[in-house]
Structure formats: C-alpha cells, structure tokens
Amino acid sequence: MVKPQPIEYAAASDDVKAVFDDIKTSRNVPDVNNFWKYLANDPATLKRTWGSLKEVMAPGALDPVVKEMVYLAVSVTNNCGYCIASHHAGAAKAGMTPEMFAELMAVVGMANETNRLVNGYRVPIDPAFDK
C-alpha cells in the first residue's frame, strides 16, 4: 500500500475545496493544517470530521479554553503527538497559561495512575458513586 499524501488545495476536488474553504473561513487562517490535508484523501471522512469537530468545539456551556484543555488532556492520554501540539496551541490561543498547562498535566498524570490502579485491583464502584 502506498503511504497517503496530503491533498493540497490546488489539486483538491470541489467537495474538498468547499470543506477547506469553510475551515479557513471559520478559523481565519490562510491554509488548512496537515490533518485536514491528509483526511482529504477521503472526502466523506473529511466532511464528516470537520462538521463534527466544528459542532463539538463551537461555543457552548464550556469555555473555549476548557474545551481545548480537555482535548489536550485526552490527546496526551492517547499519545497523539499531532493532537497534543495542535490542541496545546489552541488552548494557549484560547487563554491557557503555562501554570494551567502544568496543573492540567498533573491532573492527567494522576488520573491515568489512579485509573490503572483501580483497573489492576479491580476495585468495585462504591454505592455512593453508583447512582
């Protein structure tokens, strides 16, 4: 199998260009990042993923910085270097300070440790928590 290559705007289909244009307009950027260029190899996945991400990350009950920090925390836990870099930048742009990042990493590390301990010991859920 040939390694997928990024789809640049000039070589993109009209459907892909439409998604790229929406990303550029929504994010006020001159070009889409590599994630979108690689997803463009499957226009249906590109369109679906962009639509879902745009909906989930839109303003809502959670502040934009909180959403980006949650995304960053999950990306760290899933060991996705690309998403860590992308969402660290997004969180910083939304207002995350270095102190917030340090505290977030402490919480992520602690949660991962205690989650593994609970799974290893097969700790049953306390009745007070199981409502």
Side-chain angles (χ1 to χ4, degrees):
M1 182 174 145
V2 176
K3 179 183 173 192
Q5 297 298 308
I7 305 296
E8 297 296 337
Y9 190 88
S13 68
D14 289 343
D15 289 343
V16 168
K17 284 181 180 178
V19 176
F20 281 5
D21 288 340
D22 190 35
I23 294 168
K24 292 189 293 186
T25 300
S26 297
R27 293 187 165 174
N28 194 27
V29 294
D31 195 12
V32 299
N33 61 35
N34 284 336
F35 177 69
W36 303 112
K37 290 177 182 181
Y38 276 81
L39 284 188
N41 283 283
D42 182 354
T45 297
L46 170 70
K47 184 177 180 180
R48 183 186 71 251
T49 304
W50 169 243
S52 294
L53 186 82
K54 189 175 174 182
E55 180 181 334
V56 168
M57 297 304 280
L62 296 175
D63 292 332
V65 69
V66 172
K67 287 186 177 189
E68 288 290 347
M69 289 174 69
V70 169
Y71 215 118
L72 174 57
V74 172
S75 298
V76 167
T77 296
N78 287 331
N79 197 29
C80 179
Y82 187 91
C83 294
I84 291 167
S86 173
H87 291 282
H88 187 279
K93 183 177 179 182
M96 180 183 72
T97 64
E99 295 79 15
M100 291 167 76
F101 174 72
E103 194 168 324
L104 178 66
M105 291 301 96
V107 172
V108 168
M110 181 80 327
N112 276 299
E113 179 183 347
T114 58
N115 286 184
R116 285 178 174 82
L117 290 169
V118 164
N119 285 339
Y121 280 104
R122 301 174 62 186
V123 178
I125 299 171
D126 296 89
F129 303 145
D130 198 17
K131 293 184 178 186

